[in-house]
Amino acid sequence: MAVGTADRIAAAARTIVLDEGADRVSMRRVAAAVGITPMAIYRHFSDRDALLRAVAEQGWVELTDRWGRGEPRDNPRAELRRTLNGLLDFALEQPKLYTLLHDHRGGRSGGDFRSDESPVLNAVAAAVDEGMHRGLFAPDEVAEVALSIAALMHGLISMQHAGRLGLSDAEFRVLCGTAMTRLLHGVGA
């Protein structure tokens, strides 16, 4: 199957994002990489933001595809662990794309946290909700618990990406696991 021009444009923009970050994506650079004029991009994407949204949407697909692999989905704790490990793997393997997914306005990451637009929050909330129904987690507001979990992970990932933690990836994974265990078990005496 032939790759269309829009796909080639998005792929070139994605390469720039992966290598240098979203702020380095320009219509001129993308056009040069594809071998077209900058104006030709506008036949496929209305502006730079639309192009970055397309790159982000593909990133969300890649991230959520990671959650489709692995053990059966009959254990809410394992499902939550798989979701968070997939998020962590993605963030460590493709830090600049992860940043685009979480910082770019529009796409699936936009909207209020209760709007069902975030694949991460949706996956975490589904596992939390099932865990509450099965008595594995204490009854609580599902959306707020999911937000707490996602915010903890995103905060830690952002600090690691900024070099503020000074940890190797292996050490960082241990920190994330320990922090999540503390959150789920509480820190009370």
Side-chain angles (χ1 to χ4, degrees):
M1 181 170 100
V3 176
T5 304
D7 292 334
R8 290 183 18 240
I9 292 167
R14 175 192 164 86
T15 298
I16 295 168
V17 168
L18 290 173
D19 293 343
E20 303 174 47
D23 59 326
R24 302 294 296 159
V25 173
S26 73
M27 298 307 219
R28 286 186 189 278
R29 286 191 71 197
V30 172
V34 177
I36 60 176
T37 67
M39 290 309 294
I41 294 175
Y42 293 101
R43 287 187 218 133
H44 305 279
F45 300 96
S46 61
D47 56 23
R48 181 178 175 276
D49 279 343
L51 176 55
L52 288 174
R53 271 194 305 278
V55 173
E57 284 298 321
Q58 183 57 41
W60 282 116
V61 169
E62 288 177 37
L63 175 58
T64 57
D65 281 351
R66 290 172 184 250
W67 301 331
R69 301 181 228 142
E71 59 209 64
R73 297 180 182 269
D74 60 353
N75 180 334
R77 285 183 196 270
E79 184 63 24
L80 182 58
R81 190 170 41 254
R82 178 179 33 227
T83 298
L84 297 176
N85 284 335
L87 177 66
L88 187 55
D89 292 344
F90 186 90
L92 293 175
E93 293 165 11
Q94 302 178 88
K96 291 177 175 80
L97 183 56
Y98 174 88
T99 298
L100 173 67
L101 267 57
H102 287 85
D103 290 350
H104 189 70
R105 302 242 183 259
R108 292 194 236 176
S109 62
D112 181 87
F113 79 93
R114 295 177 194 267
S115 67
D116 293 332
E117 292 179 8
S118 169
V120 173
L121 281 174
N122 291 344
V124 171
V128 167
D129 187 46
E130 183 63 25
M132 286 179 187
H133 279 88
R134 292 186 185 200
L136 299 172
F137 304 135
D140 205 331
E141 174 60 40
V142 171
E144 291 177 12
V145 172
L147 179 64
S148 296
I149 291 169
L152 172 63
M153 289 299 292
H154 181 63
L156 290 172
I157 290 167
S158 295
M159 292 172 71
Q160 178 72 357
H161 283 171
R164 313 254 355 237
L165 299 178
L167 300 173
S168 69
D169 284 356
E171 292 168 325
F172 179 65
R173 287 175 186 280
V174 170
L175 172 66
C176 288
T178 302
M180 193 54 55
T181 298
R182 284 188 185 109
L183 180 100
L184 293 175
H185 291 244
V187 293

